[in-house]
Structure formats: C-alpha cells, structure tokens
Amino acid sequence: MSPTFQTASNDGTALYEAMSALYISQLIGQHLSLGQQLIVILTSIFASVGAANIPNAGLVTMTLVFTSVGLPTQYIALLVTIDWFLDRCRTAINVMGDMTVSALLDGKKPRSVDEA
C-alpha cells in the first residue's frame, strides 16, 4: 500500500471530528448554519488527512475544526474521557474502508485461466 493511500484513508477520523463538532454545538446550544456544517465537513476531511497516523492526533486537529466555525475549544476536553474507546472505533472504520477499497481493486484485476 502506498504512503499516499495510507494517509488519505482516515475516514474514521474525519467522521469523528465532524460528529464531535456537531455534538458540541448541540450541547452548548449553538446553531450551525448549513454553510458552517459544510465548513465542518471540509475542515474535518483536511484535518484527518493532515493528521496521518499519529496516535490521538484527532484531538489536536479538532481545534482546527472547532475554530473554523467559532466553537469554543475548551469543550474538546469533554471528549478526552471517551477518546480511548472512540479511537478503537475510528481504527475499525479506517480498516473497513481499506479492506473495501482493496476488495474493489482486486475485483478489477483481470483473471487468467491459470488462476481459476
């Protein structure tokens, strides 16, 4: 697997950061407009790609997502208590995404008569 593919396959981290921002905004009663929600999505994707495979980098890059829409970053501390469990969920999502892409790419490979 190429290093570029490994870096871009952090879909679990992107989902975690986006959902965390939406959760905290609901928790504090701050309404996010549709435009702000799109900004959360885009910054979550870019932040997860930039985080690479550094352990707990999602918590660090989440500050970028929160500040992009004006959410207070001190609420990230609430997520630290359950981050160890959510990290396992993110990893499972990342692995499932990698396996799905691998299976799709394997199906595109033409089979020879000898392999059948």
Side-chain angles (χ1 to χ4, degrees):
M1 200 177 300
S2 70
T4 305
F5 181 71
Q6 288 179 350
T7 303
S9 67
N10 288 334
D11 42 354
T13 304
L15 285 169
Y16 169 62
E17 290 180 356
M19 290 295 103
S20 297
L22 295 176
Y23 171 72
I24 294 297
S25 71
Q26 290 178 355
L27 182 71
I28 63 175
Q30 182 175 343
H31 175 73
L32 295 179
S33 67
L34 183 61
Q36 288 176 312
Q37 291 176 27
L38 291 173
I39 291 172
V40 166
I41 292 169
L42 290 174
T43 55
S44 296
I45 291 170
F46 292 138
S48 69
V49 170
N53 294 323
I54 303 166
N56 294 328
L59 288 174
V60 176
T61 58
M62 199 176 301
T63 58
L64 172 70
V65 176
F66 275 44
T67 56
S68 69
V69 290
L71 289 172
T73 56
Q74 65 262 26
Y75 285 97
I76 295 174
L78 291 174
L79 302 170
V80 172
T81 57
I82 57 169
D83 187 63
W84 64 271
F85 175 73
L86 294 176
D87 186 39
R88 276 102 181 133
C89 296
R90 289 192 307 265
T91 301
I93 291 170
N94 291 340
V95 170
M96 284 190 329
D98 290 346
M99 289 189 312
T100 302
V101 170
S102 297
L104 288 172
L105 292 177
D106 186 50
K108 300 284 184 190
K109 179 182 167 190
R111 302 280 182 201
S112 66
V113 177
D114 296 336
E115 290 181 37

